[in-house]
Amino acid sequence: MKVNVLLYEGYEILDAMGPIEVLGGLAGLFELPDMFEMNYVSVEGGLVKGFQGFAVDTKKISEVEPADILLLPGTRTPDAQMTDEKLIAALKEAAEASKYCITVCTGSVILSMTGLLDGRKATSCKFMWDLVKGLDSKVDWQGKARWVVDGKYYTSSGISAGQDMILGFVADIYGMEVAEQYAAIIEYVWNKDPDNDPFAK
């Protein structure tokens, strides 16, 4: 399975690297039918710096084949990304071409700008819930959800919820036993219930 991780200036590091740790670590520990090939992409390519200053050397998304999984992290300052026409256009094309589209935190807010979440259930960062509810969108935003699945779209609540969601994704694809075993290997206390949201709005 190919994974395209779409980055932009100011992305939240754990939003991206948490799910990458899970997906990237599975292949070496379990005999799975799919191997994960990670690609780090951006609109223009080159070094992209996260909110905490961690930079990743990315490929230009237009020069990379569509992936089975598109992963979009969130950011603490989503306003710039929400109005970035080049990013939104590239995101829409990549999301439509992917088998699964996974967003963490405010990544769902950015994705909502493409119109692809219209009529779908989704969630986002509860710390920024006023921003989410203030959007003029047709998304059915879920105020009480650790993560939400609607078709091929997986959206999670704030930063750490991405870990719970990606393990839920693993359980959906490979079974609960694999997800539980990997959570134990990385010594992570997994919230397995997407409706168990202690930060609900």
Side-chain angles (χ1 to χ4, degrees):
M1 277 187 160
K2 291 184 178 180
V3 183
N4 283 348
V5 184
L6 179 54
L7 301 178
Y8 49 84
E9 289 294 318
Y11 72 91
E12 187 66 38
I13 294 174
L14 185 59
D15 286 7
M17 300 309 165
I20 289 168
E21 164 63 33
V22 172
L23 295 178
L26 282 172
L29 295 170
F30 300 93
E31 293 183 5
L32 300 175
D34 306 303
M35 296 291 286
F36 291 98
E37 176 189 322
M38 302 291 176
N39 287 307
Y40 303 92
V41 301
S42 65
V43 172
E44 301 296 340
L47 285 176
V48 177
K49 189 177 292 185
F51 183 83
Q52 292 82 359
F54 181 76
V56 176
D57 191 12
T58 64
K59 301 174 183 177
K60 198 170 184 178
I61 192 169
S62 61
E63 298 175 355
V64 175
E65 291 183 3
D68 300 287
I69 300 171
L70 177 69
L71 173 63
L72 180 72
T75 175
R76 300 189 191 190
T77 55
D79 291 357
Q81 286 72 37
M82 291 165 62
T83 56
D84 184 336
E85 294 182 0
K86 287 184 177 180
L87 174 62
I88 298 304
L91 171 59
K92 183 175 183 179
E93 183 177 351
E96 287 179 320
S98 68
K99 185 176 181 180
Y100 301 101
C101 181
I102 298 175
T103 72
V104 180
C105 196
T106 53
S108 59
V109 173
I110 300 170
L111 181 63
S112 74
M113 297 295 103
T114 67
L116 295 177
L117 291 180
D118 286 359
R120 295 184 179 275
K121 292 181 179 180
T123 195
S124 194
C125 177
K126 304 307 168 14
F127 182 72
M128 293 189 176
W129 199 247
D130 288 344
L131 167 67
V132 174
K133 292 303 290 183
L135 294 173
D136 183 17
S137 71
K138 299 176 183 177
V139 182
D140 185 4
W141 293 109
Q142 303 294 297
K144 184 180 180 181
R146 190 69 172 155
W147 77 92
V148 172
V149 183
D150 191 329
K152 72 176 186 178
Y153 296 96
Y154 282 67
T155 59
S156 84
S157 186
I159 303 172
S160 66
Q163 292 293 90
D164 293 330
M165 175 185 62
I166 203 66
L167 285 165
F169 173 77
V170 169
D172 290 344
I173 303 301
Y174 300 116
M176 181 63 73
E177 184 177 356
V178 171
E180 289 178 336
Q181 286 183 18
Y182 195 72
I185 288 169
I186 62 175
E187 299 188 10
Y188 180 70
V189 181
W190 177 26
N191 179 355
K192 304 174 188 176
D193 182 359
D195 298 321
N196 180 7
D197 182 5
F199 306 100
K201 292 289 186 181

